[in-house]
Amino acid sequence: MKYRKLGRTGLKVSTICLGTMNYGDPVSETEAINIMKNAIAAGVNFLDTADVYAGKKAEESIGKALKGRRHSVVIATKVGLPTGPSPSDGGLTRKHIMQAVEESLRRLQTDYIDLYYAHFPDYETPLEETLRVMDDLVHQGKVRYIGCSNFTVWHTCEALRVSETNNLARFECVEPVYNLLTRDIDMELLPLCANEEIGVCVYNPLAGEMLTGKHQHGKPPAEGRFTHELLGKAYFERYWTDKNWEAVDRLKQLAKEHGCTMAQFAIAWILSNRTITSVLSGTTAVEQLEENLAATEIELSPEELEVCDEVWQMFRPPRFHYAKLP
């Protein structure tokens, strides 16, 4: 297993981060614990979850899996999405965060969280309020580092400004979507993270399974992300397009020529970018875990990377853009 520093911190995390969104439901707790133990045995020291995943069962599964080995693993969890019916059961207010962190600590069976993400922006709550309560949690020892997920570039920059101006803990890691079919963060977010030394852990590396090779254009999707009871429709609208299928056909050929699976090629491509710290891999079976771990050893040639860039141009109209890529 390979490790990279999380931004400017001294924390080293595995380049594969185990995503636990489905652990506890639909993946059984027993199987989830088995996958986590296999991942840790293979050198994975980075687990990602949230206080809403699998109806809060994901955090509980992690707590049970890490008994006796908590301090060797970096746990990232998130706060912000609604966790109950009350208007105060969500968002990034001081009230909700203070309550949510205690509940996450209880489910995780730990007294500290290594990386605490703001799951989504809360435009109704001042950034200073959010950052002050997160700073308090850092000083209390309940949280080691803080980060943000799904934030725009301008909002991330504003958070950095607020932290610097008020001498508060700053976001040390971002968690955006990134894959061979969705590369918008290349324009501004990745250059910002490189310049400010912010860690980057990306999710949806396989574009909701579009980059696994398990689905076929013109046929109903196989069981998985696209048929998920709650998220299937969103994934379908996000990725299941004719243009994406055109790109998938070209990328599938590239992977075949390299001699690896399409999923391995997709993950190896992400890790070829040194600004990326880790790839979030939401594996639901040990076999998938083993396949994805093998991707960390794959090196893509400059020619292969160039073809990947050419595929991305399919999604970008040939027009003048307001900014220049670095």
Side-chain angles (χ1 to χ4, degrees), residues 162-182:
V162 171
S163 290
E164 182 175 5
T165 301
N166 296 282
N167 195 30
L168 303 173
R170 72 164 201 169
F171 291 147
E172 299 292 357
C173 188
V174 299
E175 188 177 280
V177 60
Y178 191 54
N179 56 61
L180 280 160
L181 306 178
T182 311

Side-chain angles (χ1 to χ4, degrees), residues 40-64:
I40 293 169
V44 173
N45 75 337
F46 196 11
L47 302 185
D48 179 273
T49 191
D51 59 4
V52 295
Y53 286 170
K56 306 179 183 179
K57 295 177 183 177
E59 287 186 331
E60 293 174 352
S61 296
I62 290 176
K64 294 175 182 179

Side-chain angles (χ1 to χ4, degrees), residues 77-304:
T77 192
K78 310 179 190 73
V79 62
L81 289 181
T83 55
S86 169
S88 60
D89 290 336
L92 299 176
T93 64
R94 171 173 287 273
K95 176 177 175 57
H96 179 62
I97 291 176
M98 292 295 282
Q99 177 182 345
V101 73
E102 296 297 340
E103 294 176 353
S104 285
L105 289 170
R106 175 180 54 80
R107 287 189 291 266
L108 291 166
Q109 299 185 41
T110 183
D111 55 4
Y112 70 97
I113 293 165
D114 296 287
L115 178 58
Y116 203 36
Y117 287 112
H119 203 158
F120 281 90
D122 178 0
Y123 296 110
E124 295 184 348
T125 301
L127 268 172
E128 185 173 341
E129 177 178 341
T130 299
L131 290 165
R132 281 194 181 280
V133 65
M134 287 188 154
D135 183 74
D136 288 344
L137 295 178
V138 171
H139 284 286
Q140 291 169 12
K142 294 178 180 179
V143 169
R144 299 294 191 251
Y145 304 99
I146 63 173
C148 63
S149 178
N150 301 299
F151 273 47
T152 59
V153 177
W154 77 262
H155 210 206
T156 305
C157 288
E158 179 64 5
L160 293 175
R161 183 194 67 79
V162 171
S163 290
E164 182 175 5
T165 301
N166 296 282
N167 195 30
L168 303 173
R170 72 164 201 169
F171 291 147
E172 299 292 357
C173 188
V174 299
E175 188 177 280
V177 60
Y178 191 54
N179 56 61
L180 280 160
L181 306 178
T182 311
R183 295 179 52 178
D184 303 272
I185 65 173
D186 281 338
M187 175 62 74
E188 293 179 314
L189 184 58
L190 288 186
L192 169 70
C193 291
N195 187 69
E196 298 297 325
E197 294 184 274
I198 298 172
V200 183
C201 180
V202 301
Y203 71 91
N204 269 193
L206 303 180
E209 299 177 340
M210 283 287 285
L211 298 172
T212 63
K214 68 182 289 185
H215 304 289
Q216 295 184 44
H217 193 200
K219 295 185 178 181
E223 185 176 354
R225 290 292 177 96
F226 291 107
T227 60
H228 191 281
E229 182 179 358
L230 297 177
L231 302 175
K233 185 175 183 293
Y235 274 105
F236 198 90
E237 293 175 348
R238 187 184 303 176
Y239 293 118
W240 202 280
T241 67
D242 290 339
K243 183 63 72 173
N244 274 354
W245 276 112
E246 185 180 343
V248 166
D249 288 341
R250 182 69 186 94
L251 295 168
K252 185 183 296 184
Q253 183 61 34
L254 267 181
K256 182 179 180 181
E257 292 171 358
H258 189 95
C260 62
T261 69
M262 196 174 184
Q264 290 171 335
F265 186 92
I267 293 172
W269 172 81
I270 294 175
L271 290 176
S272 69
N273 188 329
R274 296 297 300 182
T275 303
I276 305 296
T277 309
S278 190
V279 174
L280 207 160
S281 175
T283 53
T284 56
V286 172
E287 294 76 18
Q288 292 177 354
L289 171 68
E290 293 172 346
E291 177 184 357
N292 291 351
L293 290 176
T296 63
E297 302 299 326
I298 296 175
E299 297 287 341
L300 302 185
S301 69
E303 292 75 21
E304 290 171 323

